[in-house]
Each structure stands twice: as structure tokens, then as C-alpha cells.
Amino acid sequence: VTGLVINEDGCGGPAIVVESSLDGQNTVGIIHGVVLTDNEINGGYRGIILRGDSASSTVIGNDIHDTETAIRLPSSKGNLISGNSLHDNNTGLSLAGGDCSIYCDGAPDNNTISNNEIYNNSSSGIFAERGSYNTFSSNNIYQNNLSGDFPSGGIFFNRYFDNVMQGNVVTSNSVHDNTLFGIFAYFDDQ
């Protein structure tokens, strides 16, 4: 999917959904290798969501703004998210559970998030509450958490209860001028 301009009124669901799911017994559909490039998404609840058992998608060069969450990965694996401009949203990029319409098991693992401009979001630039072996590299993350609410900021890792988060790598990012903090890791085992 290349070169779309999607203007949402803010009332609907995600602008672009890539989903494959298992309903517990039957394969509903397995989607791998979707390429989303050079799109503009303005408004709506979610810009792009990769969920269910979808995997190995490429999201490059998109401009996503004025949404609740620009890109959300609830359980998708092995994706490349690179060269996107994620700005003026509530959250720029989210690796978090939920958001599966049929069946959602697992976590967003083995994703590469690199070379993105993530700025001017009212909450976090990147929010991760689950997922392992993800790489966050060479992103420019600035002027996030405009609301000043705690906890949020540049990159926020929030592992709680039984969510598994291990082996994530954060390297060579430019994280600056965010309200409250640049990178924050919160772990609650209760």
C-alpha cells in the first residue's frame, strides 16, 4: 500500500489494519510481508495497527499525525518500522496488548524500530508494556509528553504483573527535550 492520503474525522477505528488471527481452532488468515510506504494518515483513533499473528511487515516513510496512536503493535512479530514521521498524536508508537478483534496471543517480539522521527506527541514517543527482543535504534525522539502527565516521555517501558519483557535493545537514539524524562523503565511485579 503506497501513496495514500487518509483523513479521518477522529470517530472511527484504525485507518490501516493488518491482522491475521487464529480463533482458537481454525486459521482465519495468516498475513505476512505487507508493505506500507509513503502514506499520510491524518486523524482517527489509530493510524496503523499490526495485530494478531501478522508478521514480517514493513512500514516505511509514512507521515502519521493527529491520531490517538500513530502505530500500534499489540502482538505482531518481526516487523520493520523505519523512516516514519510520527507527530502530534497522543502516542507515537505503542507495543502493547489488546486491540485484537478475534484472537490475540503473545506479544510484539523481534521488531525493528529505527530511523523514525517521533515528536510533539502529548504522551509518550514510544510506549512499550510488553514484547521481547525488539530493537529501537537511531530514532530521533523529542518534545513528547506535552501534557506533562506522569508517566510518559521519550521512551517508556512499563512492564507490570506477568507481562514478559526481555532482551530489548535501545541503541544510538537521539532522545532529547521531552517533558519529565527521556527514557524510563518501570517494572512492577505485584
Side-chain angles (χ1 to χ4, degrees), residues 12-13 25 31-32 35 50 54 59 62 76 82 88 91 94 96 141 156 173 177 183 188:
Q25 296 177 356
I31 299 174
H32 295 280
V35 178
L50 306 177
S54 65
V59 179
N62 298 285
S76 188
S82 184
D88 298 297
T91 301
S94 175
I141 303 168
F156 177 38
N173 295 284
D177 299 319
I183 300 173
D188 183 359

Side-chain angles (χ1 to χ4, degrees), residues 17-121:
V17 178
V18 176
E19 177 176 29
S20 60
S21 299
L22 304 175
D23 66 3
Q25 296 177 356
N26 302 303
T27 301
V28 177
I30 302 297
I31 299 174
H32 295 280
V34 172
V35 178
L36 303 169
T37 60
D38 301 320
N39 299 292
E40 179 183 357
I41 299 172
N42 176 10
Y45 187 60
R46 306 258 196 260
I48 295 173
I49 184 167
L50 306 177
R51 63 185 175 193
D53 292 318
S54 65
S56 304
S57 291
T58 303
V59 179
I60 295 179
N62 298 285
D63 181 18
I64 306 172
H65 53 93
D66 299 300
T67 69
E68 174 66 23
T69 303
I71 298 175
R72 185 171 171 97
L73 307 175
S75 63
S76 188
K77 298 172 180 10
N79 301 291
L80 172 63
I81 312 296
S82 184
N84 299 288
S85 178
L86 312 177
H87 61 95
D88 298 297
N89 304 287
N90 184 52
T91 301
L93 179 99
S94 175
L95 282 76
D99 264 340
C100 294
S101 60
I102 300 171
Y103 179 78
C104 184
D105 191 21
D109 298 331
N110 299 303
N111 296 292
T112 300
I113 292 89
S114 65
N115 298 303
N116 297 288
E117 287 280 326
I118 304 173
Y119 63 96
N120 211 39
N121 296 292

